[in-house]
Amino acid sequence: MPRVHPVPAGSVVDLGSFGSEALGGARRVRVYVPTSPSPGVRRPTLLLLDGQNVLGDEGSFSGGWFAHQSIDRVVASRLVAPILVAIDNGGTARIDEYSPFSHAGRGGRAEVFLDVIANQVLPAVHARFEVQPWFHVLGGSSMGGLASLYAHFRYPEVFPAAMCMSPAIWFGKDALFDFVARQPNPRLSRVYLDCGGREDKGQMLPLVQSTAMHLESRGWSTKSGPLRIMWRPDKKGAHNEAAWRRRLPKALRFLFG
């Protein structure tokens, strides 16, 4: 286990646990309020999956993202920093609840999980914090990246932006790619996609790149407009928390810039 670096006391609010009988349990949710003052300004909301990895090392198997520090250091100095919502995964149920598609007997329950986020977690966040009513960014890595991209195209009015790090597009044998291809263009969209060249012996990067190219062919722009995309290949990147933690600051600049 990595050395534990506790989150500074007082920075994180325990919002409670949320779930349903259909989900098969409750998921812990913690909220980090950025240190930068924004009097009278409603913040955007960044919801990150695999919440055990989002803050410090203490809940993570291979090290935390320290996303709260990235928000304070990278975003808050120039932009309105988002409220950070860390949603824990369901442990052994993680693969099932992060994919809307079945694959090798797993997956297929993302709709249930997204219902909990949209109809339980978000209302609780809006009731307690000064946040914008519509700007919700859903993000995650691997299966969490897959869930985030799916949620954006399934419910673009709820999640108008997605942060997809090393999304597991292979899960379901291209079912996610086919789903995205069938959906109409949202009115507004901001999509961050990345992948490491060392993931799955180099086989993952072309899959994610093909998704980025597909969106660009439909009108997503790297520069301006209502449909924005950032595709970030990381030639030396591996499929681990260290790589995602390293790439997080640039993702935040794009999503909240």
Side-chain angles (χ1 to χ4, degrees):
M1 288 290 290
R3 180 183 177 185
V4 172
H5 302 281
V7 176
S11 297
V12 176
V13 175
D14 188 340
L15 199 60
S17 296
F18 301 83
S20 65
E21 184 177 347
L23 186 64
R27 307 291 178 258
R28 180 182 61 162
V29 177
R30 292 168 294 164
V31 178
Y32 175 73
V33 181
T35 58
S36 64
S38 297
V41 176
R42 289 186 175 272
R43 299 179 184 273
T45 302
L46 172 62
L47 304 107
L48 292 183
L49 305 180
D50 291 317
Q52 295 95 327
N53 302 328
V54 167
L55 298 169
D57 290 337
E58 55 268 31
S60 173
F61 175 75
S62 57
W65 287 21
F66 294 87
H68 58 301
Q69 294 181 3
S70 290
I71 286 175
D72 284 339
R73 183 177 66 252
V74 176
V75 182
S77 60
R78 293 178 294 173
L79 310 167
V80 178
I83 291 286
L84 172 62
V85 181
I87 306 171
D88 282 13
N89 64 49
T92 57
R94 174 181 180 268
I95 292 178
D96 298 319
E97 63 194 28
Y98 280 8
S99 175
F101 318 109
S102 296
H103 180 86
R106 301 299 302 273
R109 303 188 64 203
E111 290 285 348
V112 175
F113 184 64
L114 293 175
D115 179 75
V116 170
I117 295 177
N119 294 309
Q120 294 186 38
V121 177
L122 279 176
V125 171
H126 281 267
R128 187 159 182 181
F129 304 97
E130 291 291 320
V131 294
Q132 296 174 3
W134 65 276
F135 193 7
H136 311 130
V137 180
L138 185 62
S141 60
S142 191
M143 290 298 297
L146 179 148
S148 299
L149 189 59
Y150 172 82
H152 172 56
F153 281 92
R154 180 70 173 88
Y155 303 107
E157 71 284 356
V158 180
F159 308 108
M163 185 185 79
C164 312
M165 292 185 164
S166 306
I169 294 175
W170 56 268
F171 193 92
K173 297 182 178 179
D174 299 327
L176 177 66
F177 186 92
D178 294 341
F179 170 80
V180 169
R182 294 194 304 269
Q183 305 312 304
N185 286 6
R187 183 175 63 87
L188 296 171
S189 173
R190 189 163 288 206
V191 176
Y192 171 89
L193 289 166
D194 71 21
C195 192
R198 294 166 55 195
E199 299 185 42
D200 194 19
K201 299 180 180 180
Q203 296 183 70
M204 276 189 64
L205 193 148
L207 292 176
V208 183
Q209 183 174 25
S210 66
T211 303
M213 293 175 64
H214 169 75
L215 293 180
E216 288 188 44
S217 73
R218 289 172 51 179
W220 269 257
S221 171
T222 59
K223 296 181 180 180
S224 62
L227 306 178
R228 294 283 308 280
I229 187 171
M230 172 178 280
W231 158 235
R232 187 183 180 192
D234 181 6
K235 293 183 179 180
K236 296 182 179 180
H239 196 82
N240 57 36
E241 307 301 333
W244 300 322
R245 180 171 61 243
R246 174 172 52 80
R247 299 200 293 257
L248 181 60
K250 193 168 185 177
L252 292 173
R253 291 190 188 97
F254 168 73
L255 289 164
F256 299 102

